[in-house]
Amino acid sequence: QKEVEQDPGPLSVPEGAIVSLNCTYSNSAFQYFMWYRQYSRKGPELLMYTYSSGNKEDGRFTAQVDKSSKYISLFIRDSQPSDSATYLCAMSVQTGANNLFFGTGTRLTVIP
Amino acid sequence: EAQVTQNPRYLITVTGKKLTVTCSQNMNHEYMSWYRQDPGLGLRQIYYSMNVEVTDKGDVPEGYKVSRKEKRNFPLILESPSPNQTSLYFCASSPTSSSTDTQYFGPGTRLTVL
């Protein structure tokens, strides 16, 4: 069983829709949770990180962590064509970046 | 402009021919690392470096070498490439090794080993 599972999609939504992207994990010791966005032919860029459980909001993006279910989500409100990208979740037990476990990514397309 | 650069961006080579992928960052970051990205497997760390002359293995180090002689550069060396090293490679840097520090990724190097 992989440490982190992520539905690869692809996911297509109309512009303006609310998007929900999810990851599940098996290691209950994970405490740091991150979402990266990767445009085609580019490297990943950090969108948001959350420590432990709870929600975090940044503009149209909300990251949610449910440690009891070992489930994290990224919600995108009022989705835009510029949100079309692959979204990767990542998580770690400790703060060290050398201990990151990445999901395989979900490819999202927002149709104008 | 703050950035991580990688060269070459695309490379096709043959089994056994030594190659080096260069990585350079202009942000004075301490932490640098190399990842490979494969379909269905996601990003996996190959090697990382906490600072000059300090390197360590990641999850998939077999067949790779690195060096960190200067803070800005972190080359990835494949001494005898094999077809299973065909992949998309990313270099990344961050101010420290904390996973909550923003990691800046390079644009990627697509390597094909025939």
Side-chain angles (χ1 to χ4, degrees):
Chain A
Q1 183 188 8
K2 286 182 185 173
E3 297 266 9
V4 181
E5 299 275 2
Q6 186 174 9
D7 187 335
L11 182 61
S12 292
V13 301
E15 183 175 352
I18 296 173
V19 177
S20 172
L21 303 166
N22 312 296
C23 288
T24 58
Y25 61 93
S26 56
N27 188 347
S28 58
F30 285 141
Q31 295 191 84
Y32 298 87
F33 303 92
M34 282 135 278
W35 285 97
Y36 284 79
R37 178 174 60 196
Q38 185 176 15
Y39 290 115
S40 181
R41 295 189 177 86
K42 300 280 189 185
E45 55 179 335
L46 180 66
L47 264 181
M48 301 177 70
Y49 85 87
T50 313
Y51 171 70
S52 195
S53 283
N55 292 0
K56 187 172 184 178
E57 191 173 317
D58 183 2
R60 295 184 295 111
F61 297 87
T62 300
Q64 197 171 75
V65 175
D66 182 350
K67 290 191 74 179
S68 62
S69 302
K70 299 196 189 104
Y71 189 88
I72 69 170
S73 301
L74 177 71
F75 296 97
I76 307 174
R77 290 186 300 281
D78 188 25
S79 55
Q80 303 294 309
S82 59
D83 295 327
S84 297
T86 296
Y87 290 81
L88 307 165
C89 62
M91 46 199 81
S92 65
V93 173
Q94 299 169 336
T95 60
N98 51 294
N99 295 310
L100 276 176
F101 290 86
F102 283 86
T104 52
T106 300
R107 184 185 295 181
L108 170 69
T109 301
V110 180
I111 302 165
Chain B
E1 181 192 352
Q3 59 182 351
V4 178
T5 56
Q6 292 178 230
N7 283 293
R9 293 288 313 277
Y10 302 91
L11 179 60
I12 301 174
T13 189
V14 295
T15 299
K17 188 176 181 181
K18 181 179 178 180
L19 67 92
T20 300
V21 184
T22 64
C23 173
S24 184
Q25 50 94 3
N26 62 0
M27 296 167 279
N28 201 37
H29 286 169
E30 288 185 354
Y31 184 86
M32 297 184 75
S33 63
W34 276 102
Y35 293 89
R36 58 179 291 174
Q37 188 174 37
D38 302 288
L41 295 175
L43 274 167
R44 293 178 294 167
Q45 191 175 56
I46 303 170
Y47 268 95
Y48 65 93
S49 170
M50 296 283 201
N51 215 323
V52 176
E53 302 289 4
V54 181
T55 64
D56 208 344
K57 297 176 181 178
D59 300 317
V60 288
E62 295 77 22
Y64 305 94
K65 283 176 60 176
V66 293
S67 68
R68 186 95 181 271
K69 294 185 171 57
E70 304 165 286
K71 200 170 187 179
R72 63 184 294 128
N73 297 322
F74 190 44
L76 179 70
I77 302 155
L78 285 73
E79 299 241 325
S80 183
S82 61
N84 65 12
Q85 292 178 298
T86 292
S87 187
L88 180 57
Y89 291 86
F90 289 102
C91 179
S93 75
S94 58
T96 71
S97 63
S98 170
S99 58
T100 56
D101 266 353
T102 298
Q103 279 205 83
Y104 294 84
F105 283 79
T109 294
R110 186 166 293 280
L111 172 67
T112 301
V113 182
L114 301 174

